[in-house]
Amino acid sequence: MKIAFLADPLTGFKIYKDSTFAMMREAARRGHEVYAFQQRDMALEEGIVTAEVARIHLTGDPDVWYTADPAEEMRLSTFDAIIERKDPPFDMEYVYGTYLLELAEKQGARVFNSPAAIRDHNEKLAIGQFAEFTSPTLVSSSEKRLRAFHARHGDVIFKPLDGMGGTGIFRVKADAMNLGAIIETLSDNGKRTIMVQKYIPEIVKGDKRILVIGGKPVPFALARIPQGTEVRGNLAAGGIGVAQPITERDRQIAEALGPVLAERGLLLVGLDVIGDFLTEVNVTSPTCFQEITDQTGFDVAAMFIDAVEQQVTER
């Protein structure tokens, strides 16, 4: 197969932990042709979506891990699979990219995850579709409502709807210290919608990333454990990742959501679970492949490429 990865610049990859690299390595190991391009390389001209795409060759050298052939302008529909792995922020440029990919789909391209499905599943708001698995949650721009939620639950977490890597997350305890300033800052004085959730004490045991591939859960999660006085478990915020078997509750959540999300075109999803509660549904470029594989021996990348091959074969 010819597999093209829409990703951020390859020169910025940290290959010892990068999940996209793990996907590429597994695809190359199986003899598939691996290509790469960036969102800025795409174009729509005379109704056809193309991109400046380069075939890449993995070297096995950690210092110079790939070589690339000269980039060529190619129709995206010529590839057997396009893997969307551009990292957030999910801004309007990201949205424009999904529009181009959706047009490419209409011309015969197979894109994973589906660009329309990515657009339709805000990683914070998507949990509202599965409220039976969430802790008490409010989404609003109203200071009155946000204050009332805090008064009702006492210990809460505020977060922006477009954040990533734990940015913009604040805990407010019963003393309400800085409550007004936090609401004003995150909501831009009521102009921006934000989320607030009841604090889940089990965060001290980790914010679990449960990967779901082709509707089925990976049997191990990565618990991202906050360090020191930090409330955030995100690896980008200094959390330590510890792989562990998924619990029965984890499996219940994953098996309930997995087939639904897969049917919508989301081949790879990262569910975030704290304790027994679903907190996010990550659909842009879920990570933690290598951490889980390195600590457990379970080959997450192989499971992913299996799913891609199956989707292409069943086309």
Side-chain angles (χ1 to χ4, degrees), residues 226-238:
Q227 299 300 294
T229 59
E230 182 59 70
V231 72
R232 300 169 298 173
N234 308 74
L235 300 182

Side-chain angles (χ1 to χ4, degrees), residues 232-295:
R232 300 169 298 173
N234 308 74
L235 300 182
I240 300 298
V242 178
Q244 57 190 227
I246 60 174
T247 67
E248 284 304 312
R249 175 63 170 179
D250 296 340
R251 185 176 296 279
Q252 179 188 13
I253 294 171
E255 290 183 346
L257 272 63
V260 174
L261 297 174
E263 181 65 25
R264 296 175 182 175
L266 296 167
L267 184 70
L268 170 62
V269 176
L271 304 178
D272 288 350
V273 174
I274 301 174
D276 289 335
F277 299 104
L278 175 71
T279 60
E280 290 189 19
V281 178
N282 295 272
V283 301
T284 49
S285 57
T287 60
C288 301
F289 278 41
Q290 293 206 62
E291 292 90 343
I292 291 173
T293 298
D294 290 346
Q295 294 182 40

Side-chain angles (χ1 to χ4, degrees), residues 56-186:
I56 65 171
H57 308 272
L58 277 59
T59 66
D61 182 341
D63 295 320
V64 184
W65 64 271
Y66 74 97
T67 61
D69 294 346
E72 298 180 43
E73 185 171 359
M74 303 176 68
R75 292 190 180 198
L76 294 187
S77 58
T78 62
F79 295 98
D80 296 291
I82 296 171
I83 313 299
E84 163 66 287
R85 292 293 297 174
K86 185 186 183 307
D87 287 338
F90 193 84
D91 53 15
M92 283 308 300
E93 277 301 309
Y94 204 121
V95 171
Y96 297 149
T98 66
Y99 289 142
L100 290 177
L101 289 172
E102 192 172 12
L103 285 170
E105 284 185 318
K106 296 182 187 303
Q107 295 161 14
R110 294 296 305 275
V111 185
F112 308 101
N113 285 326
S114 156
I118 290 176
R119 269 201 320 273
D120 289 345
H121 290 80
N122 175 276
E123 297 186 330
K124 307 293 192 297
L125 275 172
I127 67 171
Q129 302 177 47
F130 310 101
E132 66 271 29
F133 298 118
T134 67
S135 67
T137 299
L138 170 70
V139 175
S140 178
S141 60
S142 164
E143 180 178 358
K144 179 181 177 180
R145 286 180 177 273
L146 295 165
R147 284 184 175 274
F149 186 93
H150 172 264
R152 185 158 60 250
H153 295 288
D155 194 353
V156 303
I157 296 290
F158 286 93
K159 61 177 73 171
L161 295 178
D162 58 355
M164 57 174 286
T167 57
I169 291 179
F170 295 91
R171 179 183 179 185
V172 180
K173 298 182 182 180
D175 61 10
M177 184 174 293
N178 293 322
L179 174 62
I182 289 169
I183 291 175
E184 291 165 9
T185 300
L186 288 182

